[in-house]
Amino acid sequence: MPELPEVETICRGLAPSIVQQKIITITIYNNKLRYPIPKNISKSLAKQTIQKIYRRGKYILLTTKKGTLIIHLGMSGTLQIKPKNHPSGKHEHFILTFANDLSLRYKDPRRFGAILWTNKDPLKHPLLKKLGIEPLDNNFTANYLYDRAKSKHCAVKQFIMNNEVVTGIGNIYANEVLFAAKINPLTAANTITLHRYQILAKEIKKILRSAIKHRGTTIQDHTDSHGKQGSFQNKLKIYGKFDENCCRCQTKLTHIKLGQRTTFFCLFCQNN
Ligand code: ZN
């Protein structure tokens, strides 16, 4: 599942092909995604020009004069740029073609993603308005985490993966940032000191920025809009390291299931 760095990479990759481009055709092959694609979407998007593409949490927003197309990639969604006449492939459910003869294709084998439309402020859309702060925003600080954690008895890993607290941190980056900050993922969020949240907030920003620089983490077949893979998987220090030793202290790494997500940690480095 793409997380913040992967979604940011997708937005940056798509922009040169679609921004300032007029939509010529809208084709829906299958509207049965997590939420049905709205019936009026073709009418709303017809002849519109994409003004801007940006991200809020893991939602991709395409702005037009009339409103905003909201895309979520779910578990297995991808957005690809292909020549407009390229034959449509399996699982390509939604295709836009543009005046520059390119097409934007939403492909999603598992169909947990979403394609929605709003002609109001997209940030106030029911799916977006509850989203927490952006971790790369200046207002995301140790104090913010510390204050929000006061009433949270859950494990710190689940706390930082809660999109209503902070958006875009999924399982891969939650494992990485807690390892970097030397915090045990199981520690109750409300028992962590402000000082340790200072280290964590710093590591979150550092690791997410580095992952964006490396165009995200490519696991299985995730590629960006031009089929290119990211390289942050080569920088991962703990995620996916079954039966490996800690790169800091050589202790054998531990992995458990926490909230159905595989959680990796070093019992020596992350002992509280
Ligand atoms: Zn260690």
Side-chain angles (χ1 to χ4, degrees), residues 165-193:
V165 173
V166 51
T167 64
I169 302 175
N171 197 35
I172 296 174
Y173 296 101
N175 275 298
E176 291 296 314
V177 298
L178 291 168
F179 177 74
K182 300 185 183 174
I183 296 173
N184 187 306
L186 302 175
T187 304
N190 62 347
T191 63
I192 293 175
T193 61

Side-chain angles (χ1 to χ4, degrees), residues 179 246 248-249 251 266 268-269:
F179 177 74
C246 174
R248 274 194 301 241
C249 72
T251 303
C266 171
F268 183 76
C269 296

Side-chain angles (χ1 to χ4, degrees), residues 23-24 41 75 128 133 139 144 157 159 163 175 198 205 211 228 232-233 237 241 254:
I23 296 169
I24 306 296
I41 208 162
M75 302 288 288
L128 279 81
I133 197 165
N139 295 322
Y144 171 83
K157 180 166 177 252
F159 173 65
N163 274 310
N175 275 298
Q198 280 164 348
K205 286 179 193 279
K228 279 193 275 186
F232 198 73
Q233 62 278 14
K237 293 208 164 64
K241 310 284 182 195
T254 300

Side-chain angles (χ1 to χ4, degrees), residues 14 17-18 21-29 37 41-42 44-50 62 64 69 71 79-85 92-106 115 117:
L14 291 174
S17 303
I18 66 169
Q21 289 302 318
K22 189 176 170 182
I23 296 169
I24 306 296
T25 65
I26 302 117
T27 311
I28 302 168
Y29 288 103
I37 299 176
I41 208 162
S42 299
S44 307
L45 278 172
K47 296 180 186 161
Q48 290 299 299
T49 295
I50 308 290
L62 274 65
T64 73
L69 187 66
I71 302 174
L79 285 167
Q80 301 270 307
I81 296 290
K82 289 189 178 156
K84 73 170 183 189
N85 294 327
E92 284 183 0
H93 307 309
F94 180 83
I95 300 182
L96 298 178
T97 66
F98 296 96
N100 61 359
D101 293 336
L102 293 175
S103 62
L104 175 66
R105 293 154 185 253
Y106 179 80
I115 295 181
W117 172 262

